[in-house]
Amino acid sequence: MDYGVSNLRIFCTLLFPLLILLQALPASPTAQINSNSILVALLDSHYTELAELVEKAMLLQKLEETVANHNITIFAPTNEALDRNLHPDFKRFLLEPANLHSLQTLILFHIIPTQIGSQTQTLARHVTTLSNQNLHLAANLTAVDHARVTRPDAMTRPDGVIHAIDRLLLPRAVEDDFNRRRSLRSISAVKPEGAPEVDPRTHRLKKPPPPAPPGSPPALPIYDAMAPGPSLAPAPAPGPGGPRHHFNGERQVRDFIQTLLHYGGYNEMADILVNLTSLATEMGRLVSEGYVLTVLAPNDEAMAKLATEQLSEPGAPEQIMYYHIIPEYQTEESMYNAVRRFGKVRYDTLRLPHKVVAQEADGSVKFGLGDGSAYLFDPDIYTDGRISVQGIDGVLFPMEEEAERVKPVTRTGQPAAKVVKHRRGKLLETACWMLGTFGQHSRFASCQ
């Protein structure tokens, strides 16, 4: 019995100092956050977009622990900067649950575990952020990396300071994660496949054709994808810039029309593409499906020579413009090298079955023949790898239409009658030769 009482006394003797030691320990770091903290100022400020991203990233507890041990500096992009820099696709990528680490890295890249005010930052230097990456601070805190500090010391609290910047700071690691996601390298889902087809003649499985590499042109010719009617082209080839990772043809067509307007001297061509025809929409769809185009754009002086009735007829502007679009990607250098090597080159146009003839003339490239020819006047106005725009100083017409537009006239001013010469067969040729031998061929009109 005495032995048990002795052990109890020893246990109480050891427990009492332990309780005193626990009471003397400081409280948890989160207990030191008060209403005057820089984090409370950030959440209650007008930086609502950044505060929302901090909450989405679930970083409040980590930042509270950091503030409890260090003073911090926050470079906060304004709401206007986030609306301008956060592309909808990039924002959707950041808010996906699988990309939480990228969002946390992006937020921590804007926070430094040291309080740096505009008065203390006098020399340029590099600092380490909470994401363990470096930021370059300019002298007098006028800029941080590529962002300009618009409002230094926008909010100052005992445990930190907030500086307003005019753009989002993007770490390289987050950019690489987004690019890998855009290039489909991180997707491991199994693509659905249709049931195998059986050849009815051999009763064997049909082997599917090998998959086309990303960015390759469609297998069908461009004329099968043109309006009217639904498109007969295969699925668009994978490429950068557009929805579902295809070529964004609408944006590229819009860019080259804007380039024509800024270049000057091609306002009539841009007006026809935008207002008089649906050609811009069709060109955008063709480029989205993987095709390439070269546009021979007549300048304003050439378009002014067109008669009003030539553009007023339904479908006339489209037919004229179709003759100026080549379903190939050609630049001034490639066309000039071709005509230097081969003399005359006939390029297919979107107006079947007519071709446009190119040849060398005066150190440049001349399109067309006779009076309806045009010279390459402004080379390489727009070249982006999918659409090439070459300025010319005339409006081109197919050779048949050119012959009809310039008809021979008689002395009275009336168009000369067209003489139709019928083709004679072999039997008729032999008969006329025999009659000519006897001098009787003049009696038959067919032999004259």
Side-chain angles (χ1 to χ4, degrees), residues 32-54:
Q32 296 184 8
I33 301 300
N34 53 42
S35 59
N36 199 28
S37 173
I38 193 65
L39 294 180
V40 178
L42 174 64
L43 297 178
D44 294 340
S45 67
H46 56 276
Y47 299 100
T48 55
E49 297 283 345
L50 182 62
E52 179 185 358
L53 291 179
V54 172

Side-chain angles (χ1 to χ4, degrees), residues 412-433:
T412 59
Q414 300 296 328
K418 187 175 181 180
V419 178
V420 180
K421 188 174 183 179
H422 298 283
R423 182 180 178 183
R424 295 183 294 189
K426 292 291 185 181
L427 183 60
L428 187 57
E429 288 279 356
T430 305
C432 292
W433 175 77

Side-chain angles (χ1 to χ4, degrees), residues 168-179:
L168 183 71
L169 302 177
L170 185 62
R172 183 63 181 270
V174 177
E175 185 178 358
D176 292 342
D177 291 342
F178 179 66
N179 289 335

Side-chain angles (χ1 to χ4, degrees), residues 303-315:
M303 297 297 293
K305 298 177 183 178
L306 286 178
T308 306
E309 57 270 10
Q310 290 178 301
L311 295 176
S312 60
E313 297 180 4

Side-chain angles (χ1 to χ4, degrees), residues 170-188:
L170 185 62
R172 183 63 181 270
V174 177
E175 185 178 358
D176 292 342
D177 291 342
F178 179 66
N179 289 335
R180 282 195 296 268
R181 178 255 184 188
R182 289 290 299 273
S183 60
L184 303 180
R185 277 184 285 179
S186 61
I187 295 179
S188 59

Side-chain angles (χ1 to χ4, degrees), residues 196-224:
E197 297 183 9
V198 178
D199 193 339
R201 297 175 301 173
T202 61
H203 300 286
R204 294 182 180 179
L205 294 180
K206 291 184 178 180
K207 293 183 179 180
S216 60
L220 295 180
I222 190 172
Y223 306 102
D224 294 336

